Amino acid sequence: MTLVKAMRRREFLGLSLGTTGALLLAQCSRGSSPSSAPGSALAQAPVYSSDGGLLSFDLVAEVQQVKLGDRNANLLTYNGQVPGPRLEAKPGDTVQIRFTNRLNQPTNLHYHGLHIPPTGTGDNAFLEIPPGESYTYEFQIPANHPAGTFWYHPHYHGLVAEQLFGGLAGLFVVRGELDEIPEVQAAQEEFLVLKDFALDRGGNIPDPGHMAQMTGRIGDLLTTNGQFNPALEIPQGGLLRLRLLNASTSRFFWLSLEEHPFYLIATDGGAITSPIELNDLVLAPGERVEVLVKGDREPGQYRLLNQPFNPAQGMMGGGRMGGMMGGGMMDGTPNRDRAETVATLTYSGTTASLPLPTQLIPVEALPEPQTTRQFTLNHGMGMGMVFLINGKAFDHNRTDTQVRLNTVEDWEVINTGTMAHPFHVHTNKFQVISRNGQPAPYAAWKDVVSVSPGESVRIRIPFRDYAGKTVYHCHILDHEDRGMMGIVEMQPA
Ligand code: C2O
Ligand code: CU
Ligand code: CU
């Protein structure tokens, strides 16, 4: 990055964001060099699968020393693992999690993306599990739940950023229809949990520092399943199914794979109608995608690259896909000089060439909304930075939005601030209808959508079942903890 560019960003961001340019510079200078060799083989977290319709296990949150690459790190872990164990269940299954909090602060669990009750022992973001106490979560995954890549993480307001940044996150996979499409089934499946960390010399997580107030805490260590640049192998001719989660607190990932396009097959909420070819994609914090990669190049090594993404930059003039994947292509084309390698793909052996699927699963067209609401995102000064929705900071005693079950609503999310905000809704997924009036290029189920400065994004949400209160918020979790969250109450029809 040139100094001029950094300076221009500083001006653009204004006083409170003055450190961002420097932050991005610091990130760039620590990138792995283009020649950096891949590390050890990609590891996968232990898997806890349902059996006979029941997924039942113990889960403990506690500080543990774990390896991050070759470094010793004192992190916050689920069952001693970073990322936490991968949970796998099917539609109709019962889930029973005997959770114990061995942290020195309160916590709880949120099941991000699952369509389950937001109340009681379900996906209840309002629960407080004090240090030393246990709680049993129990819920059923509805029989008509789509297959997809979901995840779990803490959601105790005020401590979410700190606890997630410390390492608390794991995948929650629902297996179903998408997994049974023959071409998808034939692909080699790999889960990639992308997450940044920061460590001091003692292997502890340093204090986030002043700049994190605005940008959210961002670490310079990029990990994939807790590893640095792990190696992935497929045979030439083979098909790879990458299931990607951005589990970072605040960092966006802007990904491309050398010489290989991605074939997008699923977004946050599950499958799309048919694969879409992409050269790169932006994953905001909390977002997931599934992509297929065809092993149809010369044998060799290909880097999965992440380039610095500036969340203060709008996506005006940005690319095609940025529109949907929430974020933006900084200058339209990837600039790979400043990229870091997050994983390396190597061909090993050959196989008869596997085809891509042509059809996936239809995304239903939603009816016109009964109600349209506006949610304006901005920030201000309070005790330090505060982040606001419609001028208000989160108050757990206030219900901000009341909706009726069996209705469809359009929510217009307007960013009048200076940073992108990935807007997330619990319990009910949505479709992006338009961005600054431009219709979305294709239909997809989402639960996070990044809204750049100056943008207005219209999302359409069906409220069908589950009465009760839940939340919507910015998934830059420092923003959420500093107020950018509201309560929606779903009322019986
Ligand atoms: Cu993944 Cu309320 O968040
Ligand atoms: Cu969530
Ligand atoms: Cu935000």
Side-chain angles (χ1 to χ4, degrees), residues 232-240 242 255-264 276-281 291-305 334 336 344-347:
L232 269 149
E233 279 186 2
I234 53 166
Q236 193 183 31
L239 197 56
L240 182 62
L242 294 178
L255 301 169
S256 56
L257 177 60
E258 292 179 305
E259 289 182 47
H260 294 74
F262 298 125
Y263 295 91
L264 181 74
I276 292 173
E277 184 178 332
L278 303 172
N279 287 319
D280 50 20
L281 55 91
V291 296
L292 296 175
V293 172
K294 275 172 80 82
D296 59 359
R297 301 291 147 146
E298 292 304 307
Q301 287 196 340
Y302 302 94
R303 294 172 300 161
L304 178 62
L305 296 170
R336 290 178 177 168
T344 302
L345 174 66
T346 307
Y347 287 3

mmCIF file of all heavy atoms in Angstrom, residues 232-240 242 255-264 276-281 291-305 334 336 344-347:
data_model
loop_
_atom_site.group_PDB
_atom_site.id
_atom_site.type_symbol
_atom_site.label_atom_id
_atom_site.label_comp_id
_atom_site.label_asym_id
_atom_site.label_seq_id
_atom_site.Cartn_x
_atom_site.Cartn_y
_atom_site.Cartn_z
ATOM 1 N N LEU A 232 -4.174 -28.182 1.581
ATOM 2 C CA LEU A 232 -5.338 -28.957 1.166
ATOM 3 C C LEU A 232 -4.961 -29.698 -0.104
ATOM 4 O O LEU A 232 -4.288 -29.128 -0.951
ATOM 5 C CB LEU A 232 -6.414 -27.979 0.730
ATOM 6 C CG LEU A 232 -7.420 -27.461 1.681
ATOM 7 C CD1 LEU A 232 -7.806 -26.055 1.268
ATOM 8 C CD2 LEU A 232 -8.634 -28.337 1.559
ATOM 9 N N GLU A 233 -5.433 -30.913 -0.249
ATOM 10 C CA GLU A 233 -5.106 -31.657 -1.479
ATOM 11 C C GLU A 233 -6.359 -32.150 -2.157
ATOM 12 O O GLU A 233 -7.277 -32.629 -1.493
ATOM 13 C CB GLU A 233 -4.271 -32.895 -1.124
ATOM 14 C CG GLU A 233 -2.825 -32.586 -0.906
ATOM 15 C CD GLU A 233 -1.990 -33.843 -0.701
ATOM 16 O OE1 GLU A 233 -2.547 -34.966 -0.773
ATOM 17 O OE2 GLU A 233 -0.780 -33.694 -0.483
ATOM 18 N N ILE A 234 -6.368 -32.063 -3.485
ATOM 19 C CA ILE A 234 -7.390 -32.776 -4.250
ATOM 20 C C ILE A 234 -6.695 -33.421 -5.436
ATOM 21 O O ILE A 234 -5.647 -32.950 -5.870
ATOM 22 C CB ILE A 234 -8.537 -31.868 -4.781
ATOM 23 C CG1 ILE A 234 -7.991 -30.666 -5.562
ATOM 24 C CG2 ILE A 234 -9.432 -31.402 -3.662
ATOM 25 C CD1 ILE A 234 -9.078 -29.968 -6.378
ATOM 26 N N PRO A 235 -7.272 -34.497 -5.962
ATOM 27 C CA PRO A 235 -6.700 -35.040 -7.190
ATOM 28 C C PRO A 235 -7.051 -34.130 -8.373
ATOM 29 O O PRO A 235 -8.084 -33.456 -8.347
ATOM 30 C CB PRO A 235 -7.384 -36.404 -7.337
ATOM 31 C CG PRO A 235 -8.599 -36.344 -6.486
ATOM 32 C CD PRO A 235 -8.387 -35.276 -5.452
ATOM 33 N N GLN A 236 -6.187 -34.106 -9.381
ATOM 34 C CA GLN A 236 -6.531 -33.379 -10.594
ATOM 35 C C GLN A 236 -7.789 -34.019 -11.169
ATOM 36 O O GLN A 236 -7.913 -35.232 -11.212
ATOM 37 C CB GLN A 236 -5.377 -33.461 -11.605
ATOM 38 C CG GLN A 236 -5.557 -32.476 -12.740
ATOM 39 C CD GLN A 236 -4.452 -32.610 -13.768
ATOM 40 O OE1 GLN A 236 -3.916 -33.705 -13.964
ATOM 41 N NE2 GLN A 236 -4.116 -31.510 -14.418
ATOM 42 N N GLY A 237 -8.734 -33.204 -11.583
ATOM 43 C CA GLY A 237 -10.026 -33.718 -12.052
ATOM 44 C C GLY A 237 -11.059 -33.718 -10.940
ATOM 45 O O GLY A 237 -12.256 -33.785 -11.195
ATOM 46 N N GLY A 238 -10.606 -33.644 -9.711
ATOM 47 C CA GLY A 238 -11.521 -33.715 -8.570
ATOM 48 C C GLY A 238 -12.307 -32.428 -8.353
ATOM 49 O O GLY A 238 -12.062 -31.400 -8.988
ATOM 50 N N LEU A 239 -13.255 -32.513 -7.468
ATOM 51 C CA LEU A 239 -14.104 -31.373 -7.141
ATOM 52 C C LEU A 239 -13.985 -31.156 -5.639
ATOM 53 O O LEU A 239 -14.025 -32.102 -4.858
ATOM 54 C CB LEU A 239 -15.540 -31.731 -7.532
ATOM 55 C CG LEU A 239 -16.584 -30.637 -7.678
ATOM 56 C CD1 LEU A 239 -16.157 -29.579 -8.678
ATOM 57 C CD2 LEU A 239 -17.914 -31.276 -8.120
ATOM 58 N N LEU A 240 -13.822 -29.898 -5.254
ATOM 59 C CA LEU A 240 -13.641 -29.552 -3.847
ATOM 60 C C LEU A 240 -14.856 -28.739 -3.422
ATOM 61 O O LEU A 240 -15.282 -27.838 -4.133
ATOM 62 C CB LEU A 240 -12.369 -28.723 -3.728
ATOM 63 C CG LEU A 240 -11.897 -28.247 -2.376
ATOM 64 C CD1 LEU A 240 -11.579 -29.420 -1.468
ATOM 65 C CD2 LEU A 240 -10.641 -27.373 -2.557
ATOM 66 N N LEU A 242 -15.792 -26.287 -0.584
ATOM 67 C CA LEU A 242 -15.290 -25.515 0.543
ATOM 68 C C LEU A 242 -16.460 -24.886 1.272
ATOM 69 O O LEU A 242 -17.300 -24.215 0.667
ATOM 70 C CB LEU A 242 -14.354 -24.397 0.068
ATOM 71 C CG LEU A 242 -13.041 -24.818 -0.576
ATOM 72 C CD1 LEU A 242 -12.262 -23.577 -1.024
ATOM 73 C CD2 LEU A 242 -12.197 -25.644 0.390
ATOM 74 N N LEU A 255 -11.555 -13.003 -0.546
ATOM 75 C CA LEU A 255 -10.869 -14.236 -0.922
ATOM 76 C C LEU A 255 -10.852 -14.498 -2.419
ATOM 77 O O LEU A 255 -11.822 -14.228 -3.128
ATOM 78 C CB LEU A 255 -11.572 -15.432 -0.255
ATOM 79 C CG LEU A 255 -11.638 -15.411 1.270
ATOM 80 C CD1 LEU A 255 -12.582 -16.495 1.771
ATOM 81 C CD2 LEU A 255 -10.237 -15.595 1.860
ATOM 82 N N SER A 256 -9.734 -15.056 -2.874
ATOM 83 C CA SER A 256 -9.663 -15.574 -4.232
ATOM 84 C C SER A 256 -8.683 -16.744 -4.227
ATOM 85 O O SER A 256 -7.814 -16.824 -3.357
ATOM 86 C CB SER A 256 -9.203 -14.486 -5.211
ATOM 87 O OG SER A 256 -7.962 -13.950 -4.785
ATOM 88 N N LEU A 257 -8.858 -17.648 -5.163
ATOM 89 C CA LEU A 257 -7.980 -18.822 -5.261
ATOM 90 C C LEU A 257 -7.260 -18.732 -6.599
ATOM 91 O O LEU A 257 -7.911 -18.636 -7.647
ATOM 92 C CB LEU A 257 -8.819 -20.111 -5.176
ATOM 93 C CG LEU A 257 -8.079 -21.441 -5.334
ATOM 94 C CD1 LEU A 257 -7.003 -21.634 -4.273
ATOM 95 C CD2 LEU A 257 -9.074 -22.609 -5.281
ATOM 96 N N GLU A 258 -5.932 -18.758 -6.552
ATOM 97 C CA GLU A 258 -5.164 -18.569 -7.781
ATOM 98 C C GLU A 258 -5.626 -19.516 -8.890
ATOM 99 O O GLU A 258 -5.712 -20.729 -8.678
ATOM 100 C CB GLU A 258 -3.672 -18.816 -7.502
ATOM 101 C CG GLU A 258 -3.061 -17.762 -6.614
ATOM 102 C CD GLU A 258 -1.597 -18.040 -6.322
ATOM 103 O OE1 GLU A 258 -1.281 -19.152 -5.829
ATOM 104 O OE2 GLU A 258 -0.769 -17.160 -6.594
ATOM 105 N N GLU A 259 -5.895 -18.936 -10.032
ATOM 106 C CA GLU A 259 -6.247 -19.671 -11.265
ATOM 107 C C GLU A 259 -7.527 -20.501 -11.195
ATOM 108 O O GLU A 259 -7.800 -21.272 -12.109
ATOM 109 C CB GLU A 259 -5.083 -20.563 -11.729
ATOM 110 C CG GLU A 259 -3.929 -19.738 -12.267
ATOM 111 C CD GLU A 259 -2.795 -20.584 -12.778
ATOM 112 O OE1 GLU A 259 -3.059 -21.551 -13.520
ATOM 113 O OE2 GLU A 259 -1.646 -20.269 -12.415
ATOM 114 N N HIS A 260 -8.271 -20.383 -10.114
ATOM 115 C CA HIS A 260 -9.515 -21.157 -10.002
ATOM 116 C C HIS A 260 -10.674 -20.242 -9.654
ATOM 117 O O HIS A 260 -10.621 -19.543 -8.642
ATOM 118 C CB HIS A 260 -9.423 -22.196 -8.876
ATOM 119 C CG HIS A 260 -8.440 -23.279 -9.120
ATOM 120 N ND1 HIS A 260 -7.082 -23.071 -9.033
ATOM 121 C CD2 HIS A 260 -8.612 -24.595 -9.423
ATOM 122 C CE1 HIS A 260 -6.456 -24.222 -9.287
ATOM 123 N NE2 HIS A 260 -7.363 -25.163 -9.526
ATOM 124 N N PRO A 261 -11.741 -20.288 -10.444
ATOM 125 C CA PRO A 261 -12.951 -19.588 -9.995
ATOM 126 C C PRO A 261 -13.632 -20.390 -8.885
ATOM 127 O O PRO A 261 -13.380 -21.585 -8.719
ATOM 128 C CB PRO A 261 -13.830 -19.560 -11.247
ATOM 129 C CG PRO A 261 -13.358 -20.695 -12.094
ATOM 130 C CD PRO A 261 -11.917 -20.961 -11.739
ATOM 131 N N PHE A 262 -14.468 -19.711 -8.128
ATOM 132 C CA PHE A 262 -15.340 -20.378 -7.164
ATOM 133 C C PHE A 262 -16.698 -20.585 -7.831
ATOM 134 O O PHE A 262 -17.171 -19.706 -8.539
ATOM 135 C CB PHE A 262 -15.580 -19.494 -5.935
ATOM 136 C CG PHE A 262 -14.369 -19.146 -5.130
ATOM 137 C CD1 PHE A 262 -14.057 -17.810 -4.874
ATOM 138 C CD2 PHE A 262 -13.556 -20.129 -4.583
ATOM 139 C CE1 PHE A 262 -12.958 -17.461 -4.091
ATOM 140 C CE2 PHE A 262 -12.455 -19.789 -3.797
ATOM 141 C CZ PHE A 262 -12.153 -18.459 -3.562
ATOM 142 N N TYR A 263 -17.344 -21.704 -7.551
ATOM 143 C CA TYR A 263 -18.735 -21.883 -7.977
ATOM 144 C C TYR A 263 -19.588 -21.868 -6.721
ATOM 145 O O TYR A 263 -19.620 -22.843 -5.956
ATOM 146 C CB TYR A 263 -18.904 -23.182 -8.770
ATOM 147 C CG TYR A 263 -18.137 -23.119 -10.075
ATOM 148 C CD1 TYR A 263 -16.827 -23.572 -10.151
ATOM 149 C CD2 TYR A 263 -18.711 -22.543 -11.215
ATOM 150 C CE1 TYR A 263 -16.093 -23.465 -11.326
ATOM 151 C CE2 TYR A 263 -17.987 -22.435 -12.400
ATOM 152 C CZ TYR A 263 -16.677 -22.900 -12.445
ATOM 153 O OH TYR A 263 -15.968 -22.785 -13.611
ATOM 154 N N LEU A 264 -20.240 -20.733 -6.524
ATOM 155 C CA LEU A 264 -21.044 -20.550 -5.313
ATOM 156 C C LEU A 264 -22.243 -21.483 -5.342
ATOM 157 O O LEU A 264 -22.992 -21.512 -6.330
ATOM 158 C CB LEU A 264 -21.524 -19.099 -5.258
ATOM 159 C CG LEU A 264 -22.361 -18.718 -4.040
ATOM 160 C CD1 LEU A 264 -21.485 -18.605 -2.806
ATOM 161 C CD2 LEU A 264 -23.094 -17.394 -4.283
ATOM 162 N N ILE A 276 -23.114 -20.287 -9.224
ATOM 163 C CA ILE A 276 -22.730 -19.004 -9.813
ATOM 164 C C ILE A 276 -21.213 -18.895 -9.760
ATOM 165 O O ILE A 276 -20.604 -19.099 -8.712
ATOM 166 C CB ILE A 276 -23.400 -17.852 -9.048
ATOM 167 C CG1 ILE A 276 -24.907 -17.900 -9.309
ATOM 168 C CG2 ILE A 276 -22.822 -16.494 -9.459
ATOM 169 C CD1 ILE A 276 -25.712 -16.935 -8.505
ATOM 170 N N GLU A 277 -20.628 -18.584 -10.914
ATOM 171 C CA GLU A 277 -19.170 -18.503 -10.985
ATOM 172 C C GLU A 277 -18.685 -17.150 -10.465
ATOM 173 O O GLU A 277 -19.195 -16.109 -10.853
ATOM 174 C CB GLU A 277 -18.729 -18.693 -12.440
ATOM 175 C CG GLU A 277 -17.223 -18.726 -12.576
ATOM 176 C CD GLU A 277 -16.750 -18.965 -14.011
ATOM 177 O OE1 GLU A 277 -17.485 -19.612 -14.792
ATOM 178 O OE2 GLU A 277 -15.638 -18.489 -14.338
ATOM 179 N N LEU A 278 -17.692 -17.184 -9.596
ATOM 180 C CA LEU A 278 -17.145 -15.959 -8.992
ATOM 181 C C LEU A 278 -15.624 -16.020 -9.028
ATOM 182 O O LEU A 278 -15.052 -17.076 -8.789
ATOM 183 C CB LEU A 278 -17.546 -15.871 -7.519
ATOM 184 C CG LEU A 278 -19.009 -15.904 -7.150
ATOM 185 C CD1 LEU A 278 -19.143 -15.999 -5.644
ATOM 186 C CD2 LEU A 278 -19.687 -14.652 -7.670
ATOM 187 N N ASN A 279 -14.989 -14.883 -9.258
ATOM 188 C CA ASN A 279 -13.530 -14.859 -9.176
ATOM 189 C C ASN A 279 -13.053 -14.580 -7.763
ATOM 190 O O ASN A 279 -11.939 -14.930 -7.399
ATOM 191 C CB ASN A 279 -12.957 -13.812 -10.123
ATOM 192 C CG ASN A 279 -13.078 -14.292 -11.555
ATOM 193 O OD1 ASN A 279 -12.845 -15.468 -11.842
ATOM 194 N ND2 ASN A 279 -13.499 -13.411 -12.430
ATOM 195 N N ASP A 280 -13.878 -13.906 -7.011
ATOM 196 C CA ASP A 280 -13.485 -13.591 -5.637
ATOM 197 C C ASP A 280 -14.759 -13.391 -4.841
ATOM 198 O O ASP A 280 -15.842 -13.281 -5.416
ATOM 199 C CB ASP A 280 -12.599 -12.335 -5.589
ATOM 200 C CG ASP A 280 -13.184 -11.176 -6.360
ATOM 201 O OD1 ASP A 280 -14.404 -11.177 -6.620
ATOM 202 O OD2 ASP A 280 -12.446 -10.252 -6.706
ATOM 203 N N LEU A 281 -14.620 -13.340 -3.542
ATOM 204 C CA LEU A 281 -15.792 -13.097 -2.715
ATOM 205 C C LEU A 281 -15.381 -12.441 -1.414
ATOM 206 O O LEU A 281 -14.270 -12.638 -0.931
ATOM 207 C CB LEU A 281 -16.581 -14.380 -2.471
ATOM 208 C CG LEU A 281 -15.883 -15.584 -1.881
ATOM 209 C CD1 LEU A 281 -15.975 -15.568 -0.367
ATOM 210 C CD2 LEU A 281 -16.546 -16.852 -2.409
ATOM 211 N N VAL A 291 -18.682 -23.063 -1.661
ATOM 212 C CA VAL A 291 -18.281 -22.971 -3.061
ATOM 213 C C VAL A 291 -17.691 -24.302 -3.511
ATOM 214 O O VAL A 291 -17.123 -25.047 -2.709
ATOM 215 C CB VAL A 291 -17.234 -21.843 -3.295
ATOM 216 C CG1 VAL A 291 -17.825 -20.473 -2.987
ATOM 217 C CG2 VAL A 291 -15.960 -22.078 -2.487
ATOM 218 N N LEU A 292 -17.846 -24.584 -4.797
ATOM 219 C CA LEU A 292 -17.157 -25.726 -5.396
ATOM 220 C C LEU A 292 -15.951 -25.197 -6.165
ATOM 221 O O LEU A 292 -15.989 -24.093 -6.712
ATOM 222 C CB LEU A 292 -18.095 -26.490 -6.339
ATOM 223 C CG LEU A 292 -19.314 -27.151 -5.679
ATOM 224 C CD1 LEU A 292 -20.229 -27.771 -6.741
ATOM 225 C CD2 LEU A 292 -18.868 -28.217 -4.673
ATOM 226 N N VAL A 293 -14.889 -25.997 -6.187
ATOM 227 C CA VAL A 293 -13.688 -25.653 -6.946
ATOM 228 C C VAL A 293 -13.363 -26.860 -7.820
ATOM 229 O O VAL A 293 -13.301 -27.986 -7.324
ATOM 230 C CB VAL A 293 -12.506 -25.364 -5.990
ATOM 231 C CG1 VAL A 293 -11.206 -25.209 -6.772
ATOM 232 C CG2 VAL A 293 -12.788 -24.135 -5.138
ATOM 233 N N LYS A 294 -13.181 -26.606 -9.103
ATOM 234 C CA LYS A 294 -12.846 -27.690 -10.033
ATOM 235 C C LYS A 294 -11.330 -27.830 -10.131
ATOM 236 O O LYS A 294 -10.641 -26.848 -10.401
ATOM 237 C CB LYS A 294 -13.368 -27.354 -11.434
ATOM 238 C CG LYS A 294 -14.822 -27.736 -11.674
ATOM 239 C CD LYS A 294 -15.313 -27.186 -13.002
ATOM 240 C CE LYS A 294 -14.875 -28.037 -14.182
ATOM 241 N NZ LYS A 294 -15.746 -29.209 -14.400
ATOM 242 N N GLY A 295 -10.857 -29.029 -9.949
ATOM 243 C CA GLY A 295 -9.405 -29.293 -10.061
ATOM 244 C C GLY A 295 -9.007 -29.501 -11.502
ATOM 245 O O GLY A 295 -8.535 -30.580 -11.847
ATOM 246 N N ASP A 296 -9.215 -28.482 -12.325
ATOM 247 C CA ASP A 296 -9.001 -28.684 -13.763
ATOM 248 C C ASP A 296 -7.798 -27.908 -14.292
ATOM 249 O O ASP A 296 -7.723 -27.596 -15.460
ATOM 250 C CB ASP A 296 -10.272 -28.322 -14.542
ATOM 251 C CG ASP A 296 -10.701 -26.883 -14.313
ATOM 252 O OD1 ASP A 296 -10.021 -26.160 -13.538
ATOM 253 O OD2 ASP A 296 -11.707 -26.473 -14.901
ATOM 254 N N ARG A 297 -6.848 -27.576 -13.424
ATOM 255 C CA ARG A 297 -5.636 -26.863 -13.869
ATOM 256 C C ARG A 297 -4.461 -27.829 -13.907
ATOM 257 O O ARG A 297 -4.613 -29.004 -13.588
ATOM 258 C CB ARG A 297 -5.328 -25.702 -12.922
ATOM 259 C CG ARG A 297 -6.436 -24.700 -12.810
ATOM 260 C CD ARG A 297 -6.594 -23.934 -14.096
ATOM 261 N NE ARG A 297 -8.002 -23.591 -14.297
ATOM 262 C CZ ARG A 297 -8.426 -22.466 -14.873
ATOM 263 N NH1 ARG A 297 -7.549 -21.588 -15.305
ATOM 264 N NH2 ARG A 297 -9.707 -22.246 -15.043
ATOM 265 N N GLU A 298 -3.291 -27.265 -14.255
ATOM 266 C CA GLU A 298 -2.068 -28.068 -14.243
ATOM 267 C C GLU A 298 -1.747 -28.457 -12.807
ATOM 268 O O GLU A 298 -2.036 -27.689 -11.881
ATOM 269 C CB GLU A 298 -0.900 -27.249 -14.800
ATOM 270 C CG GLU A 298 -1.026 -26.932 -16.284
ATOM 271 C CD GLU A 298 -1.183 -28.212 -17.099
ATOM 272 O OE1 GLU A 298 -0.338 -29.117 -16.950
ATOM 273 O OE2 GLU A 298 -2.170 -28.318 -17.861
ATOM 274 N N PRO A 299 -1.122 -29.616 -12.614
ATOM 275 C CA PRO A 299 -0.699 -29.960 -11.255
ATOM 276 C C PRO A 299 0.175 -28.844 -10.694
ATOM 277 O O PRO A 299 0.970 -28.271 -11.421
ATOM 278 C CB PRO A 299 0.125 -31.240 -11.453
ATOM 279 C CG PRO A 299 -0.368 -31.815 -12.739
ATOM 280 C CD PRO A 299 -0.799 -30.653 -13.597
ATOM 281 N N GLY A 300 0.020 -28.539 -9.443
ATOM 282 C CA GLY A 300 0.804 -27.463 -8.840
ATOM 283 C C GLY A 300 0.179 -27.021 -7.538
ATOM 284 O O GLY A 300 -0.714 -27.693 -7.010
ATOM 285 N N GLN A 301 0.668 -25.886 -7.057
ATOM 286 C CA GLN A 301 0.152 -25.333 -5.812
ATOM 287 C C GLN A 301 -0.559 -24.019 -6.104
ATOM 288 O O GLN A 301 -0.056 -23.200 -6.858
ATOM 289 C CB GLN A 301 1.316 -25.060 -4.852
ATOM 290 C CG GLN A 301 1.903 -26.319 -4.266
ATOM 291 C CD GLN A 301 2.763 -26.014 -3.057
ATOM 292 O OE1 GLN A 301 3.221 -24.890 -2.875
ATOM 293 N NE2 GLN A 301 2.985 -27.012 -2.225
ATOM 294 N N TYR A 302 -1.696 -23.847 -5.485
ATOM 295 C CA TYR A 302 -2.491 -22.646 -5.703
ATOM 296 C C TYR A 302 -2.875 -22.078 -4.344
ATOM 297 O O TYR A 302 -3.378 -22.796 -3.486
ATOM 298 C CB TYR A 302 -3.729 -22.989 -6.529
ATOM 299 C CG TYR A 302 -3.386 -23.616 -7.854
ATOM 300 C CD1 TYR A 302 -3.332 -25.003 -8.001
ATOM 301 C CD2 TYR A 302 -3.068 -22.821 -8.950
ATOM 302 C CE1 TYR A 302 -2.981 -25.591 -9.203
ATOM 303 C CE2 TYR A 302 -2.715 -23.393 -10.170
ATOM 304 C CZ TYR A 302 -2.680 -24.776 -10.294
ATOM 305 O OH TYR A 302 -2.334 -25.349 -11.494
ATOM 306 N N ARG A 303 -2.640 -20.771 -4.198
ATOM 307 C CA ARG A 303 -2.874 -20.151 -2.887
ATOM 308 C C ARG A 303 -4.298 -19.603 -2.772
ATOM 309 O O ARG A 303 -4.790 -18.946 -3.694
ATOM 310 C CB ARG A 303 -1.885 -19.000 -2.677
ATOM 311 C CG ARG A 303 -0.441 -19.470 -2.576
ATOM 312 C CD ARG A 303 0.515 -18.309 -2.566
ATOM 313 N NE ARG A 303 0.398 -17.521 -3.793
ATOM 314 C CZ ARG A 303 0.833 -16.268 -3.939
ATOM 315 N NH1 ARG A 303 1.412 -15.640 -2.928
ATOM 316 N NH2 ARG A 303 0.698 -15.645 -5.087
ATOM 317 N N LEU A 304 -4.901 -19.870 -1.659
ATOM 318 C CA LEU A 304 -6.163 -19.196 -1.313
ATOM 319 C C LEU A 304 -5.746 -17.897 -0.628
ATOM 320 O O LEU A 304 -5.124 -17.924 0.441
ATOM 321 C CB LEU A 304 -7.006 -20.064 -0.376
ATOM 322 C CG LEU A 304 -8.328 -19.440 0.095
ATOM 323 C CD1 LEU A 304 -9.275 -19.159 -1.073
ATOM 324 C CD2 LEU A 304 -9.024 -20.351 1.107
ATOM 325 N N LEU A 305 -6.054 -16.780 -1.282
ATOM 326 C CA LEU A 305 -5.527 -15.486 -0.851
ATOM 327 C C LEU A 305 -6.602 -14.640 -0.194
ATOM 328 O O LEU A 305 -7.763 -14.658 -0.598
ATOM 329 C CB LEU A 305 -4.975 -14.736 -2.070
ATOM 330 C CG LEU A 305 -3.772 -15.397 -2.750
ATOM 331 C CD1 LEU A 305 -3.463 -14.702 -4.073
ATOM 332 C CD2 LEU A 305 -2.555 -15.369 -1.834
ATOM 333 N N PRO A 334 -9.068 -7.762 -7.713
ATOM 334 C CA PRO A 334 -8.208 -8.127 -6.606
ATOM 335 C C PRO A 334 -6.800 -7.573 -6.817
ATOM 336 O O PRO A 334 -6.264 -7.623 -7.912
ATOM 337 C CB PRO A 334 -8.184 -9.657 -6.667
ATOM 338 C CG PRO A 334 -9.355 -10.048 -7.493
ATOM 339 C CD PRO A 334 -9.603 -8.919 -8.440
ATOM 340 N N ARG A 336 -3.419 -8.538 -5.682
ATOM 341 C CA ARG A 336 -2.868 -9.687 -4.957
ATOM 342 C C ARG A 336 -1.517 -9.430 -4.324
ATOM 343 O O ARG A 336 -1.023 -10.259 -3.581
ATOM 344 C CB ARG A 336 -2.831 -10.897 -5.889
ATOM 345 C CG ARG A 336 -4.254 -11.366 -6.148
ATOM 346 C CD ARG A 336 -4.345 -12.523 -7.077
ATOM 347 N NE ARG A 336 -5.757 -12.922 -7.176
ATOM 348 C CZ ARG A 336 -6.226 -13.753 -8.080
ATOM 349 N NH1 ARG A 336 -5.437 -14.287 -8.956
ATOM 350 N NH2 ARG A 336 -7.506 -14.066 -8.082
ATOM 351 N N THR A 344 -3.378 -23.381 1.173
ATOM 352 C CA THR A 344 -2.790 -23.689 -0.135
ATOM 353 C C THR A 344 -3.359 -25.004 -0.651
ATOM 354 O O THR A 344 -3.398 -25.993 0.078
ATOM 355 C CB THR A 344 -1.243 -23.772 -0.045
ATOM 356 O OG1 THR A 344 -0.752 -22.532 0.452
ATOM 357 C CG2 THR A 344 -0.624 -24.058 -1.401
ATOM 358 N N LEU A 345 -3.803 -24.957 -1.897
ATOM 359 C CA LEU A 345 -4.371 -26.142 -2.543
ATOM 360 C C LEU A 345 -3.303 -26.788 -3.416
ATOM 361 O O LEU A 345 -2.654 -26.118 -4.210
ATOM 362 C CB LEU A 345 -5.568 -25.709 -3.402
ATOM 363 C CG LEU A 345 -6.219 -26.786 -4.260
ATOM 364 C CD1 LEU A 345 -6.870 -27.858 -3.388
ATOM 365 C CD2 LEU A 345 -7.257 -26.170 -5.202
ATOM 366 N N THR A 346 -3.130 -28.088 -3.239
ATOM 367 C CA THR A 346 -2.159 -28.836 -4.047
ATOM 368 C C THR A 346 -2.879 -29.989 -4.736
ATOM 369 O O THR A 346 -3.746 -30.617 -4.138
ATOM 370 C CB THR A 346 -1.045 -29.432 -3.151
ATOM 371 O OG1 THR A 346 -0.505 -28.386 -2.362
ATOM 372 C CG2 THR A 346 0.054 -30.073 -3.973
ATOM 373 N N TYR A 347 -2.524 -30.246 -5.987
ATOM 374 C CA TYR A 347 -3.079 -31.420 -6.664
ATOM 375 C C TYR A 347 -2.219 -32.626 -6.317
ATOM 376 O O TYR A 347 -1.001 -32.552 -6.305
ATOM 377 C CB TYR A 347 -3.047 -31.234 -8.187
ATOM 378 C CG TYR A 347 -4.041 -30.257 -8.732
ATOM 379 C CD1 TYR A 347 -4.886 -29.516 -7.909
ATOM 380 C CD2 TYR A 347 -4.156 -30.078 -10.115
ATOM 381 C CE1 TYR A 347 -5.799 -28.625 -8.439
ATOM 382 C CE2 TYR A 347 -5.062 -29.183 -10.648
ATOM 383 C CZ TYR A 347 -5.878 -28.456 -9.815
ATOM 384 O OH TYR A 347 -6.773 -27.573 -10.345
#
